[in-house]
Amino acid sequence: MSNLLCSSIGKKLLMGLSGLFLMMFLLIHLVINALMLAPDGGELYNAGAHFMSSNPFIRIMEPMLAIGFLVHILWGVKLTIENQKARGNSRYASGNKTTGVSWASQNMLVLGITILAFLVLHIAQFWVKMKLTGSDLLAHTTITIGGVHTEVENAYALVNNTFSYLWIVIVYVVAGIGLAMHLSHGFWSSFQTIGFSNEIWRKRLSIFGSIYAWGVGLGFSLIALLQYLFYQV
Amino acid sequence: MVKIDAKIPEGPLAQKWTKYKASQKLVNPSNKRKLDIIVVGTGLAGASAAASFGEMGFNVKIFTIQDSPRRAHSIAAQGGINAAKNYPNDGDSVYRLFSDTVKGGDYRAREGNVYRLAEVSNDIIDQCVAQGVPFAREYGGLLDNRSFGGAQVSRTFYARGQTGQQLLLGAYQALMRQVNLKTVKLYSRNELVDIVMVDGKARGIISRDLVTGELQRHFAHAVVLATGGYGNTFFLSTNAMGSNGSAAWQAYKKGAMFANPCYAQIHPTCIPVHGEFQSKLTLMSESLRNDGRIWVPAKKEDAEAIRTNKLKPTQIAEDDRDYFLERRYPAFGNLVPRDVASRAAKERCDAGFGVGNTGLAVYLDFKESIERLGEDVIRSRYGNLFQMYEKIVDENPYNTPMMIYPAIHYTMGGIWVDYELQTSVPGLFCAGEANFSDHGANRLGASALMQGLADGYFVLPYTVQNYLADDIRTPRMTGNEKEFVEAEKGIKEKFNKLLNIKGTRSVDSLHKQLGLIMWDFVGMARNKEGLKEAIEKIRAVKKEFWSNVRIPGEGEGMNVELEKANRLADFIEIGELMAIDALHREESCGGHFREEFQTEEGEAKRQDDIFAYVGCWEYKGDNIEPELHKEELQFMDVKLIQRNYK
Amino acid sequence: MEKNINLTLKVWRQKNAREKGRFETFKLSNISIDSSFLEMMDILNEQLINDGKEPVAFDHDCREGICGMCSLYINGRPHGPDDEITTCQLHMRKFKDGETIWIEPWRSAGFPVIKDLIVNRTAFDQIIAAGGYVSVNTGGVPDANSIGVPRDEAEEAMDAASCIGCGACVAACKNGSAMLFVSAKVSQLALLPQGRIEGARRAKNMVAKMDELGFGNCTNTGACEVECPKGISLANIARLNREFLMAKMKD
Ligand SMILES: Cc1cc2nc3c(=O)[nH]c(=O)nc-3n(C[C@H](O)[C@H](O)[C@H](O)COP(=O)(O)OP(=O)(O)OC[C@H]3O[C@@H](n4cnc5c(N)ncnc54)[C@H](O)[C@@H]3O)c2cc1C
Ligand code: HEM
Ligand code: HEM
Ligand code: SF4
Ligand code: F3S
Ligand code: FES
């Protein structure tokens, strides 16, 4: 197995699998965050957030997610460096005029770093406050879950407050677009990497990938934007 | 004094090879490891031979001038490979393939060799399929066949228009497997520049590393040349730019006889010459003649109008077209052998019916088959050829007929070998296009691939072993023996001489000059006066070369001009020998057409009572007339008749 | 149809593997648009020789797009500005009068420059040697028609088999990856029953050799497929991934 992961295809497999895993997380994350758009002062969203944080399965997934990111980032950087080396020392003076190759596919690391930069900010804003430092905004609130009154953290308040700053919203929109681009190549690419593609599936996967990528990327951007525009009290 | 002994085994034709194999000498496995074989050339013949030797356990070194064995000129063969499988059940048999080949060769080939070729042809197909060569298949999953010129059965196996590529890759992969197993050592970008003789036997070679320019000495118990043909003597040919006759020529100078040098094949379907900057000619596979019909305008004024772009070929009415092959040869139609088709095209063009800007072209038209079979079928059969044509000529052959004209394609002549493929120099073997063996005066389509692989997979492994069985006590030499040292010194001097001429003419300009002489006088139609003139002119080129060639750069490092010059020096001498041979052969046969010897209808006329022999030339020294030896050909099984494709 | 154009060439010159290279500029006039790119190079070399200079070294042989010997990175693209062809099939009608043409060697760590525009591609041979074959010896094989192959699969194998080993895929790939080349051979043999048997071993050995020789990791950018003169499909890379991963799983 270890020698599998040393081979070029094995390294790629790690990228592909971690990428697929992260994409699954993002989909769930998007769905939960979309609850924020329910016009109920954040009740539904808080319920969702509570469900997620109290669910043992999600608890296990959290460190997995961290590992997933770590692997994805470390191997992404490693691969890119190795690939630079494989390219040799000289570059083409006449540039690259090959047509039909997407910009994103050739700049995955740049896009990845954009996402990473966003993540640092994002984690500091939410996760750190919710899990470590705490915040005044998170004061407990009571909501009804399945007819039972439950006391939960007011995550909505924190998020809602964060999205009252224009610069933060802009950062989220840019990150959303970056993410969409990363995934517009990444989605198809991860299936290709694990060997699940051929002439026919390649077309299907690229169409599906574009829908997924822009759906997720723009979805996040939209949530932030709508929060800023219509949900501030 | 060299004697000509073809060493054909006694007995009936069909049993000669079986008998040979049953009585040949063998080398035991532990001794094989102690025996070295050098194979020069990685085409079908060389690669298959080296792979087989390696599998048997011999210690092999293989050389190629290209960067990879896979680039040998065999890669370019398009149409297919013959075998007597009779899968289509159309009446084919080993005997029929044999007799077609002897007849196609205009009765100038050795029966014993040709029969063996037909006999092993089936094994070749089995071997290639086992290697994973993706031959074309029917929907039922079994192999498909197509028909080719000079045959009335479908016996040609093919892999789209890339048969040579696929066969060579099969052999190349088998070879690389042996390289991996370390039984074969590969020397690429490494050119044989001399053959080393010790005590009258070939014992090694001097080679030049084309990257560093370094000369190397290599010993072997036996040397196999599989270096391809010398068609590039004409400068313009369908051969690859690097194809050359130099290795064969070194063998000739070491005492191997050169047989039938004048037999050069002109292929009828090539893209016509388009300017003086032309560097090579592109073949359009003969298989196109299966579905394409060849024609010129029936009226001179139409041809004239086409030449000046006033008319398009598609505007010529059906009745105003002259399908001259179908008209002259109703039985074979567009599928007559190459020499016949080429001369017929030349005849029409010389008579003023040619098309294209130069008037040196005829049409190859697919309109009818597209109507009959649909464009898709045609595309699946010839798609890559059509694309190739369009990229070169900038015309779409699906809409307008192709233009074609004959060009030099293949050389039937080559180093003389006996039944064992051994040259007149002991220990020196020769295979593939480089030898003269199986095609007589004209080669049938799809037979060169067959011959190359037959030689390499199924003949040499037996015959070389038979030779080496007597050599197990000869110890390896180090390369420091005086014969090696002297040979290397001689080569060094030759290169220095070339580099020091420092004249004014580029190698290519001289090569073009030679090529024109060859094409005009030693080409499709030859005559006594012309040949004499050609010999004079070639000698003049030789003088000009040795006094006025310019080779920039030095002997160290890579020097492409030096490589080319060294090969041209030999081409010039080969050209001269071709003309000498053509002059002496006072008959027309196959690829050799002497205007003085033709029937009233303009067909080739042989002189069987005088010339039914192989003309073998022995080197006698620089600027001395070579000596002719004759290997009389005995035809026991086929009757000599005038070929008739009508 | 006859038309002539004038050109400026920027050509990479490098004496040998060790020395540093540089671009040299040449002017060429009256080049027929019907001539091929390599014929244009011949004319350049003839001119250089006549001027007493060293001609430009470049690889070529068959000049009909099948041997895979010709290379050249022309104006930002391997095999120049036309699709599905090799440099030797490129014609001057693809260029405009007065145009400047940049001519560079393939650039990749796996293909070091030997001289001028010639690079060393023996790495490809080593990869094939590592497993790009069916291990059968000469003779002793079954009749050719004893193995049936469905026509579509035979055709697909043939598609993959048409790779000419030119290296344009590596030259085009920003990662210097040889995946398209390797996948073409693995696919061809994986698709045929004859090659299936040692499929796992082949995939592992060829990929290991490819990695060892310093080619990069494919990130599925697809430039190779666009520039491949023989239209070798990316589907082959997916198949290679599949073959390789399955083989490793089985271990
Ligand atoms: C365009 C074209 C299409 C053809 N189509 C068909 C076809 O459809 N069917 C058919 O049967 N035949 C066909 N032929 C003919 C056939 O391809 C050749 O005759 C055959 O492939 C020759 O194989 P070979 O092994 O003898 O030599 P080649 O393949 O020519 O190989 C020669 C080898 O020798 C090496 N070499 C040469 N000189 C030296 C030296 N001095 N030192 C070291 N190495 C050297 C070269 O590097 C090369 O590896 C075609 C030929 C052409 C030109
Ligand atoms: C939620 C976040 C992310 C998701 C969902 C994601 C997803 C993906 C996917 C699916 C791929 C394609 C994998 C393949 O081709 O097999 C990919 C590739 C890549 N990712 Fe990410 N990624 C994310 C974040 C990042 C980050 C933070 C970085 C780096 C800092 C990064 C760097 C890369 C790189 C360099 C590649 C290209 C390498 C390759 O294709 O193999 N990604 N990503
Ligand atoms: C509108 C956009 C987004 C909102 C409102 C949002 C909200 C949140 C919140 C509230 C948390 C904390 C959850 C907790 O700790 O329990 C969180 C965590 C996280 N978010 Fe986001 N997020 C958004 C977009 C994104 C994007 C685009 C990414 C990835 C690229 C991302 C990746 C993460 C990660 C990795 C965590 C930490 C892991 C976890 O706790 O689940 N988020 N997000
Ligand atoms: S895959 Fe295409 S580009 Fe790569 S070597 Fe083969 S033919 Fe050339
Ligand atoms: S261009 Fe390179 S990244 Fe992969 S898809 Fe082709 S090898
Ligand atoms: S020279 Fe052979 S492919 Fe271009």
Side-chain angles (χ1 to χ4, degrees), chain B residues 289-300:
Chain B
R289 287 200 270 146
N290 271 315
D291 288 306
R293 299 177 69 197
I294 295 179
W295 63 276
V296 289
K299 296 188 203 138
K300 264 200 185 131

Side-chain angles (χ1 to χ4, degrees), chain C residues 173-175 177 179-180 217-224 234 237:
Chain C
C173 177
K174 81 181 225 327
N175 305 324
S177 167
M179 279 290 270
L180 195 64
N217 312 292
C218 167
T219 59
N220 306 324
T221 62
C224 52
L234 284 191
I237 296 187

Side-chain angles (χ1 to χ4, degrees), chain B residues 194 485-495:
Chain B
D194 205 0
V485 177
E486 269 164 24
E488 185 186 313
K489 206 170 121 229
I491 290 300
K492 204 167 261 162
E493 278 161 15
K494 181 176 169 194
F495 281 130

Side-chain angles (χ1 to χ4, degrees), chain B residues 342-386:
Chain B
S342 294
R343 274 197 300 278
K346 177 174 154 62
E347 186 275 329
R348 281 292 85 188
C349 294
D350 289 351
F353 293 93
V355 296
N357 297 339
T358 53
L360 291 177
V362 300
Y363 288 125
L364 177 61
D365 201 334
F366 291 87
K367 185 163 145 273
E368 196 203 273
S369 18
I370 289 177
E371 279 164 9
R372 182 162 42 90
L373 302 164
E375 196 171 312
D376 285 345
V377 174
I378 296 297
R379 193 183 305 277
S380 74
R381 283 186 193 164
Y382 313 110
N384 66 325
L385 296 173
F386 278 35

Side-chain angles (χ1 to χ4, degrees), chain B residues 32 37 39 44-60 62 127 131 170-179 183-184 452-462 464-465, chain C residues 136-139:
Chain B
K32 280 187 188 141
I37 306 175
V39 177
L44 287 177
S48 58
S52 305
F53 291 145
E55 289 160 7
M56 292 160 78
F58 290 108
N59 199 22
V60 186
I62 190 164
Q127 185 65 32
Q131 287 171 344
Y172 157 71
Q173 287 161 203
L175 172 68
M176 294 317 285
R177 174 168 163 252
Q178 293 308 311
V179 170
T183 57
V184 177
L453 290 180
D455 290 358
Y457 284 132
F458 297 110
V459 179
L460 287 173
Y462 296 94
V464 171
Q465 179 166 211
Chain C
V136 291
N137 283 1
T138 304

Side-chain angles (χ1 to χ4, degrees), chain C residues 92-234:
Chain C
M92 295 314 291
R93 57 182 84 93
K94 289 279 164 189
F95 297 89
K96 290 191 288 293
D97 192 22
E99 192 165 342
T100 299
I101 306 179
W102 290 82
I103 308 172
E104 304 174 64
W106 285 173
R107 294 206 184 281
S108 146
F111 292 163
V113 173
I114 292 176
K115 180 175 183 177
D116 293 346
L117 301 167
I118 297 183
V119 298
N120 183 347
R121 285 173 287 194
T122 46
F124 272 10
D125 290 327
Q126 295 178 49
I127 294 175
I128 295 292
Y133 40 73
V134 178
S135 300
V136 291
N137 283 1
T138 304
V141 297
D143 182 82
N145 257 353
S146 64
I147 318 166
V149 183
R151 195 189 145 127
D152 291 342
E153 264 154 55
E155 290 291 305
E156 217 181 325
M158 182 61 216
D159 285 339
S162 32
C163 164
I164 55 174
C166 63
C169 44
V170 177
C173 177
K174 81 181 225 327
N175 305 324
S177 167
M179 279 290 270
L180 195 64
F181 168 77
V182 176
S183 71
K185 188 48 69 192
V186 167
S187 280
Q188 176 208 339
L189 296 175
L191 280 160
L192 298 169
Q194 305 91 295
R196 213 29 288 159
I197 300 159
E198 54 185 327
R201 195 169 147 238
R202 176 181 311 115
K204 283 187 294 189
N205 290 345
M206 289 181 77
V207 169
K209 186 50 97 179
M210 167 183 87
D211 292 349
E212 178 196 320
L213 293 171
F215 291 100
N217 312 292
C218 167
T219 59
N220 306 324
T221 62
C224 52
E225 182 190 53
V226 177
E227 295 299 0
C228 171
K230 299 294 152 186
I232 304 293
S233 159
L234 284 191

